[in-house]
Amino acid sequence: MLSKTEITDMSQLDQLAESASSIVIYGSKTPGRLVADYLISAGKAGKLSGIVHTYTSRNYDNSYREVAICSASEFFEIPGNRDSLVIVSVKNPMSRAEIFESLESYGIGSCVYLDKAGTSLLSQIVCLENVAIQEEYDMVSCVFTECQLLGIVKKANKVVIYGTKRNKDMMEKYLEMTGCRPQALKSIEVIQEKAGGAYKAVAPFAGGDPEYEDAVILVAADPFNPNYKVPWEMEGFDTKKFHYCTDELMERIFILLKNGKEEVSVQEPRFLVAGFPKSGSTSLHYVLQDIKDVYVPDSKESQYLFHRDSEADPKAKLLHSFFGRVPQNQIPGCVDPIFALYAEQAWETFGPDLKVGFVMRNPVHATYSYFKMWNRFGDSSCRCHYDKYKGYCDEMLDDYISGLSEDRRQYFDYASALEGFLRYYPSEQIHVIILEELVRDPGQIVNDFLRFIGSAEIYDARQGFKKENSGDYVWADEKGWKLGMKSSELRDEKETCLKWRLLDDPEAALARANELENELFRIGRLCEAAEKIYNPKMTLEQQKHLEDFYRPSVRKLERMLDKDLSKLWFK
């Protein structure tokens, strides 16, 4: 029986590394390499006997910072290697469970693994990387929940709302709805004169006005602005009185205003948009948020599969966090592309009556968009590319493409994913949206989906279909990649605090989320300054290679859908 020990802080890791004669890290992507980075920086490079992974694929390098990388089966075939301290460093609990099984099969007696969320220890490690924060800022009070907001407003006699027109209007309506309007309330509308620039008041306002000298300031920036371009310093205001109304809060207020004072309850989702990434699912999520008789949570993705095996009663936590306030007159559902390859888990979680939607995009374009996203997120698959090529180049995509055929589960093999769901759900409970058709005729396509899930509303598509979560740049060098990696790790931990840990220990979860939001702002400043390459393009050879790779799957999908996709995608 494998003995497993959880490690949650640096002192535990240091003690284990000090006492071990040799160390092997199980997990060769970002989490594993972060642990390797730390051990190397701590002078333990000589103890690192290897970094191992489960699957054999050309996606994996042979070494990382002079530490050998190989498959676990090869490494543990050598009896002497079985005496090494095994550090399991992955974030996905499902992957961790598979690793535990494989270690038992190799005859390993014990191992240690990162904390359940896989982020607390990593966030401590990543802060030690050579990514220096050049500026010091006072900690700013971040408001994530409506309870926090109302607590601040109730204690204040005077409040200034400093935000974009949309947000200040939302905040005013919300305070009216809750009966918490303060004695003195002033709203200052702001704009950004250029994308990514500082905010500026539309009309001049003297922040030193004696009437508002003792007021608290609610900073309500644009809720979907990923660059943290928040007016932390505004002339005439005392920054210590700032309360930053976060993206999470503003999205939540939007949902609360939509629902009004309707009676609400915990409800099971009745539909799931299960896939696919980089195919328009984020845009569809925001469209559904505007539909009167449809309820989708303020957050698009639950990350449920990452928490399912590590949380006590995870289904109850999922419902409480994401479906705890569903009005009786709305159809609850969610957009959660992580389920695209996990039909069995969707059926186990949501049951047999679920209606399942998919948004599919030309897999060639989706793959390239996915590759660029992982580059921006600082995924470990790109680190070896920067080590190899020293800067972004076309060859990085060539290396990525060369490993696709050996991936065990390929995200954009739509036919196989659809087959997986058809094993659990009848075809009449599955609805496929083609992104290219959605962009061309959003009214028809969205309304077809609304009829599918049982909505009686009509979507007004006169403004077209807004493109969300596009992001079209890659990091020019490893410095930017490291910043992207650090930012991603911090965002992951913040999401875990707000959606999962908040249920266990609200005070600690919100305090940690506040620290992370401030750190994200600081990193955002550095990310903004880092060198990027905008609008990179595939070569014709790369596009043809991907078309050849996906052609059998696309032709199979056409037969399944009884639909010709050659003009929309490729012949």
Side-chain angles (χ1 to χ4, degrees):
M1 185 71 177
L2 180 69
S3 172
K4 304 177 284 289
T5 302
E6 181 184 41
I7 53 175
T8 58
D9 59 51
M10 303 297 290
S11 61
Q12 284 178 286
L13 182 59
D14 289 339
Q15 290 173 8
L16 289 164
E18 188 65 36
S19 61
S21 57
S22 64
I23 302 169
V24 58
I25 300 170
Y26 204 135
S28 63
K29 294 194 174 182
T30 299
R33 296 185 185 202
L34 281 172
V35 173
D37 286 338
Y38 174 68
L39 293 174
I40 291 170
S41 68
K44 302 293 191 298
K47 293 188 176 186
L48 278 174
S49 54
I51 303 173
V52 302
H53 53 80
T54 302
Y55 308 115
T56 301
S57 170
R58 281 177 291 177
N59 269 338
Y60 295 96
D61 281 349
N62 294 325
S63 65
Y64 174 71
R65 298 185 66 176
E66 300 183 359
V67 180
I69 298 178
C70 62
S71 69
S73 57
E74 293 174 355
F75 183 85
F76 291 115
E77 273 182 3
I78 302 171
N81 287 344
R82 296 174 191 171
D83 297 327
S84 299
L85 169 67
V86 180
I87 301 177
V88 178
S89 184
V90 295
K91 289 197 296 181
N92 188 339
M94 299 175 70
S95 299
R96 189 184 303 125
E98 290 180 8
I99 289 172
F100 290 158
E101 289 181 11
S102 68
L103 287 174
E104 283 197 288
S105 71
Y106 301 138
I108 307 300
S110 64
C111 70
V112 298
Y113 67 96
L114 271 62
D115 57 288
K116 290 177 180 177
T119 52
S120 177
L121 183 64
L122 287 179
S123 67
Q124 295 173 57
I125 292 174
V126 79
C127 288
L128 300 175
E129 291 232 8
N130 296 322
V131 182
I133 304 301
Q134 302 298 325
E135 301 174 85
E136 290 295 329
Y137 298 91
D138 291 330
M139 282 284 288
V140 175
S141 169
C142 300
V143 189
F144 296 97
T145 69
E146 63 270 25
C147 290
Q148 284 182 299
L149 173 64
L150 295 179
I152 291 168
V153 174
K154 286 176 181 178
K155 293 178 182 178
N157 293 322
K158 300 175 183 178
V159 171
V160 173
I161 301 173
Y162 186 97
T164 57
K165 179 174 179 13
R166 177 183 184 274
N167 282 3
K168 77 174 186 62
D169 289 348
M170 283 172 50
M171 187 68 72
E172 287 179 356
K173 291 176 182 177
Y174 177 70
L175 295 179
E176 289 283 1
M177 185 181 79
T178 56
C180 288
R181 189 181 178 95
Q183 292 179 8
L185 177 66
K186 186 173 186 67
S187 294
I188 304 173
E189 182 180 337
V190 300
I191 58 171
Q192 280 182 304
E193 294 184 326
K194 61 179 181 179
Y199 285 91
K200 180 181 179 181
V202 172
F205 174 74
D209 187 336
E211 182 182 356
Y212 290 92
E213 187 176 348
D214 58 346
V216 299
I217 299 100
L218 302 177
V219 179
D222 184 56
F224 307 125
N225 179 4
N227 295 319
Y228 297 88
K229 291 297 181 182
V230 181
W232 300 101
E233 294 186 9
M234 298 176 293
E235 186 176 357
F237 287 107
D238 181 355
T239 57
K240 293 179 181 179
K241 297 177 182 177
F242 281 10
H243 296 279
Y244 169 45
C245 301
T246 60
D247 298 358
E248 290 80 9
L249 175 65
M250 298 311 301
E251 290 177 15
R252 185 67 187 142
I253 287 177
F254 174 82
I255 296 296
L256 292 169
L257 289 173
K258 174 189 170 184
N259 296 340
K261 295 184 179 180
E262 294 285 342
E263 184 179 346
V264 297
S265 62
V266 177
Q267 293 190 43
E268 295 256 358
R270 286 152 54 186
F271 72 87
L272 165 70
V273 179
F276 283 84
K278 309 311 296 177
S279 298
S281 60
T282 301
S283 298
L284 180 62
H285 169 81
Y286 290 125
V287 166
L288 294 173
Q289 275 194 336
D290 281 326
I291 304 300
K292 290 182 180 178
D293 66 355
V294 173
Y295 178 92
V296 291
D298 48 299
S299 295
K300 175 186 157 219
E301 297 179 27
S302 67
Q303 300 296 315
Y304 172 73
L305 292 181
F306 291 104
H307 296 278
R308 192 179 76 149
D309 296 329
S310 61
E311 294 287 331
D313 204 354
K315 175 71 177 295
K317 288 187 175 181
L318 172 71
L319 294 179
H320 187 280
S321 287
F322 294 87
F323 300 96
R325 300 184 188 178
V326 183
Q328 298 299 318
N329 61 350
Q330 291 183 2
I331 303 164
C334 58
V335 179
D336 213 337
I338 195 173
F339 281 97
L341 305 181
Y342 296 97
E344 182 179 2
Q345 287 81 354
W347 186 85
E348 289 174 350
T349 304
F350 302 115
D353 298 325
L354 186 72
K355 292 188 176 181
V356 182
F358 292 97
V359 188
M360 299 178 181
R361 174 189 184 187
N362 181 333
V364 173
H365 298 157
T367 296
Y368 187 45
S369 183
Y370 199 61
F371 165 75
K372 291 185 292 183
M373 180 185 74
W374 283 123
N375 178 286
R376 292 191 299 275
F377 283 5
D379 186 72
S380 63
S381 61
C382 297
R383 184 167 199 159
C384 57
H385 298 157
Y386 286 110
D387 285 344
K388 183 177 180 181
Y389 300 111
K390 308 307 178 187
Y392 183 82
C393 58
D394 289 338
E395 286 77 11
M396 288 185 176
L397 180 60
D398 289 332
D399 290 351
Y400 182 80
I401 292 172
S402 70
L404 285 176
S405 60
E406 297 187 41
D407 277 0
R408 224 176 103 181
R409 307 194 72 174
Q410 215 291 318
Y411 247 127
F412 304 109
D413 180 1
Y414 302 135
S416 295
L418 196 55
E419 277 184 332
F421 274 84
L422 285 169
R423 295 190 188 102
Y424 296 91
Y425 297 98
S427 58
E428 58 267 23
Q429 286 178 225
I430 295 178
H431 185 93
V432 173
I433 294 173
I434 304 300
L435 177 63
E436 290 77 5
E437 292 181 334
L438 176 60
V439 172
R440 186 174 63 193
D441 189 1
Q444 180 65 50
I445 302 302
V446 171
N447 283 315
D448 285 348
F449 183 73
L450 292 178
R451 301 295 83 77
F452 167 70
I453 63 176
S455 169
E457 294 294 321
I458 302 297
Y459 171 62
D460 183 356
R462 284 177 293 184
Q463 295 183 345
F465 189 72
K466 188 177 179 182
K467 190 177 181 182
E468 301 281 0
N469 194 30
S470 54
D472 200 18
Y473 69 85
V474 291
W475 299 112
D477 52 33
E478 187 180 34
K479 180 181 178 181
W481 174 87
K482 282 186 175 183
L483 288 167
M485 175 191 66
K486 187 170 184 179
S487 182
S488 295
E489 295 288 348
L490 293 170
R491 282 197 304 271
D492 286 348
E493 186 181 355
K494 188 185 80 169
E495 184 71 12
T496 296
C497 286
L498 293 176
K499 295 302 180 183
W500 296 89
R501 299 290 174 261
L502 190 59
L503 299 177
D504 298 326
D505 189 343
E507 187 174 342
L510 288 172
R512 179 58 181 154
N514 194 86
E515 293 174 358
L516 293 165
E517 186 75 4
N518 276 268
E519 186 69 7
L520 278 166
F521 168 69
R522 296 174 182 135
I523 294 298
R525 287 279 183 90
L526 296 177
C527 286
E528 187 67 20
E531 187 176 354
K532 307 173 185 69
I533 296 174
Y534 288 93
N535 300 310
K537 305 293 182 185
M538 283 184 287
T539 66
L540 291 176
E541 291 79 8
Q542 289 168 338
Q543 182 167 331
K544 183 179 184 302
H545 191 152
L546 285 171
E547 287 179 359
D548 291 342
F549 175 73
Y550 285 117
R551 186 169 285 108
S553 173
V554 171
R555 299 289 86 88
K556 183 177 180 180
L557 179 66
E558 288 178 323
R559 294 190 294 271
M560 296 175 73
L561 301 179
D562 192 20
K563 184 183 187 72
D564 183 1
L565 295 168
S566 59
K567 292 182 180 179
L568 287 171
W569 292 353
F570 52 85
K571 294 182 179 179

